[in-house]
Amino acid sequence: MWKTIVRRVLVMIPQLFVLSLLIFGLAKLMPGDPFTGMITPQTDPNVIEELREKAGLNDPWYVQYYHWIVNAFHGDFGDSYAFKDSVSSLIGERALNTFWLSLFTVLLVYLIAIPLGIYAGRFQNSLFDKGTVLYSFVTYAIPTFVLGLLILFFFGYKLDWFPTSGSVDVKYDTGTWGYFMSKLYHLILPGFTGAILGTTSVIQYLRSEVIDAKTQDYVKTARSKGVPMKKIYSKHIFRNSLLPIAAFLGFTITGLLGGSIFIETIFGYPGMGQLFIESLGQRDYSVITALVMLFGFLSLLGSLLSDIIMSIVDPRIRIE
């Protein structure tokens, strides 16, 4: 398996190279540049031109790409003209917030979806099963921004139970118990919103796998031998039903790490998703290209992680 993992990692290198060319080219096709917003009737055009020359924006695109990709290999993605900070440190600060939100959301997704999916499949066509299917259809159909705004309005503004923006209360010092609880408190609304939307596919896949597993020969054989149904579900059906869930786990984790643009924007949560929207609005090319490259890398990593998790859950499966 290790040889296969190394081979897959090596294949990712040309994929990331092609992705970097596409990202850089599309960023350059965007109208304007980071200094466009500084232009006013009183602005001296020569000052703007000097800034563009100093930033290298007047160089040919291939020269700009060469400098960008070489610096990126050294961990330097340039400076943000909009935020007045290095791109690496800017993304690093936001990435930590997105990591905690992603971890909290993934835990909620599986804590909610696994029991619902298993019991819905076990008691097929029961009232519980019909309610679970209805819940899945509703959460699948409702747009992210609609659900987010409803939760924000009701629990944030109407009931005033949870904060409506930010990631921590500024009155707490880093590392204290109050700081930790404040971070958790700010995660609840965006985390639950993401979890509610994320449970749909997990519930449906798990329910279908449990229903299908009940008709398999090994289940019929176990029942004919008098094995209790509780033991059959815990030792056989449950484990085999987790395979498709394991297949999506890598994509789920890396997808959430990329940041939920809608959720972070609606709840004013300072993560990478919100940073991406802000950078687009201000034409901050350095931040945009770095974030999209990071999102692309996470997508490739998610595919590899899913294969590895599948091979761990079921030793019969070997990644190629």
Side-chain angles (χ1 to χ4, degrees):
M1 185 175 77
W2 289 108
K3 290 182 179 179
T4 305
I5 293 175
V6 172
R7 185 167 64 249
R8 290 279 295 274
V9 171
L10 292 176
V11 170
M12 288 169 59
I13 296 175
Q15 291 176 325
L16 289 173
F17 173 71
V18 174
L19 179 64
S20 67
L21 280 173
L22 291 173
I23 293 168
F24 191 84
L26 290 173
K28 290 303 175 184
L29 289 175
M30 291 175 62
D33 57 44
F35 304 109
T36 301
M38 300 171 56
I39 299 177
T40 64
Q42 291 77 32
T43 304
D44 185 356
N46 294 325
V47 173
I48 301 298
E49 192 61 31
E50 287 178 7
L51 291 173
R52 288 172 175 158
E53 184 68 31
K54 186 177 179 180
L57 297 179
N58 292 333
D59 296 334
W61 71 267
Y62 50 86
V63 175
Q64 296 183 48
Y65 174 77
Y66 172 78
H67 291 304
W68 176 72
I69 201 67
V70 169
N71 292 332
F73 272 114
H74 293 87
D76 180 13
F77 290 94
D79 296 321
S80 168
Y81 302 107
F83 298 94
K84 310 301 180 184
D85 196 2
S86 68
V87 175
S88 299
S89 62
L90 188 63
I91 293 178
E93 295 172 2
R94 301 294 187 100
L96 187 60
N97 287 334
T98 296
F99 170 78
W100 291 119
L101 178 59
S102 303
L103 180 62
F104 185 69
T105 304
V106 169
L107 289 175
L108 288 177
V109 165
Y110 286 98
L111 284 174
I112 296 171
I114 290 178
L116 290 180
I118 291 175
Y119 281 98
R122 182 174 180 178
F123 303 105
Q124 185 183 7
N125 296 325
S126 65
L127 186 61
F128 181 87
D129 179 37
K130 293 177 180 178
T132 302
V133 172
L134 178 62
Y135 164 81
S136 298
F137 284 147
V138 172
T139 54
Y140 180 78
I142 189 169
T144 304
F145 66 91
V146 172
L147 179 63
L149 288 173
L150 288 174
I151 290 177
L152 180 66
F153 172 77
F154 189 73
F155 293 103
Y157 291 104
K158 196 73 174 178
L159 298 177
D160 197 24
W161 287 356
F162 301 100
T164 57
S165 63
S167 63
V168 68
D169 198 319
V170 295
K171 68 181 180 181
Y172 296 109
D173 295 326
T174 305
T176 62
W177 177 253
Y179 181 87
F180 171 77
M181 292 304 296
S182 179
K183 292 283 283 188
L184 181 61
Y185 197 48
H186 282 75
L187 287 173
I188 293 176
L189 286 188
F192 265 99
T193 303
I196 290 172
L197 296 169
T199 54
T200 304
S201 58
V202 179
I203 289 174
Q204 289 299 321
Y205 276 108
L206 193 53
R207 175 181 177 273
S208 299
E209 286 297 316
V210 171
I211 292 173
D212 181 64
K214 290 191 300 183
T215 63
Q216 298 299 314
D217 291 337
Y218 68 88
V219 174
K220 295 177 180 178
T221 302
R223 293 183 65 180
S224 66
K225 291 181 178 180
V227 179
M229 284 302 298
K230 185 177 181 181
K231 189 174 182 180
I232 293 175
Y233 273 96
S234 61
K235 290 194 64 176
H236 302 289
I237 294 179
F238 176 64
R239 182 176 179 179
N240 291 330
S241 299
L242 284 180
L243 286 177
I245 307 304
F248 283 97
L249 182 58
F251 288 109
T252 301
I253 294 173
T254 54
L256 288 171
L257 284 174
S260 177
I261 294 176
F262 286 116
I263 290 177
E264 290 185 359
T265 303
I266 290 169
F267 291 97
Y269 188 81
M272 291 192 293
Q274 187 191 54
L275 177 62
F276 182 70
I277 291 295
E278 293 173 349
S279 301
L280 279 176
Q282 302 185 62
R283 299 181 180 87
D284 201 340
Y285 298 139
S286 301
V287 180
I288 294 171
T289 51
L291 282 174
V292 178
M293 275 296 295
L294 178 60
F295 297 158
F297 171 74
L298 289 174
S299 298
L300 295 174
L301 183 62
S303 176
L304 179 59
L305 282 177
S306 292
D307 289 340
I308 294 173
I309 293 170
M310 281 283 287
S311 65
I312 293 174
V313 174
D314 189 347
R316 297 171 299 177
I317 298 175
R318 291 290 179 266
I319 60 175
E320 299 294 338

